[in-house]
């Protein structure tokens, strides 16, 4: 892990400590950076699914489990 010296807004750091439940500035910054990266990656994934770039239809079809015949009749 690299050691980096940066200027931070003290009020923002205190808010980050409260949000992430951390006790130190370093822990709050690490949590905030991790959260930002994960949010970005999740958004990229959702955007790819929404645009049709990712197609799960084959996976869904191959892993589909049919209900037993009796159960299908009782819910019809």
């Amino acid at each position: 892990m690299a050691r980096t010296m940066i200027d931070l807004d003290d009020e923002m750091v205190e808010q980050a400590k409260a949000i992430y439940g951390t006790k130190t500035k370093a822990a709050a910054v690490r949590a905030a950076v991790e959260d930002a990266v994960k949010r970005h990656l999740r958004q990229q994934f959702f955007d790819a699914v929404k645009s049709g770039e990712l197609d799960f239809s084959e996976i869904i079809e191959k892993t589909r489990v049919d209900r037993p015949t009796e159960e299908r009749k009782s819910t019809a």
Side-chain angles (χ1 to χ4, degrees):
M1 188 179 314
R3 186 169 276 243
T4 305
M5 203 164 159
I6 56 175
D7 292 324
L8 300 170
D9 181 298
D10 289 332
E11 288 181 32
M12 294 295 283
V13 172
E14 289 304 315
Q15 287 182 19
K17 285 169 58 177
I19 290 168
Y20 296 107
T22 60
K23 295 183 182 198
T24 66
K25 287 182 181 182
V29 170
R30 282 193 296 273
V33 169
E34 180 181 353
D35 186 45
V37 170
K38 286 180 178 180
R39 285 175 189 247
H40 178 75
L41 293 173
R42 278 192 302 268
Q43 188 62 55
Q44 282 184 322
F45 174 77
F46 292 138
D47 291 346
V49 170
K50 188 176 180 180
S51 72
E53 188 178 327
L54 295 177
D55 181 13
F56 296 103
S57 59
E58 184 178 337
I59 294 169
I60 292 168
E61 188 61 35
K62 286 182 177 181
T63 60
R64 188 178 78 196
V65 177
D66 288 328
R67 293 181 296 177
T69 307
E70 290 179 25
E71 187 178 323
R72 278 186 265 158
K73 288 179 184 176
S74 65
T75 59

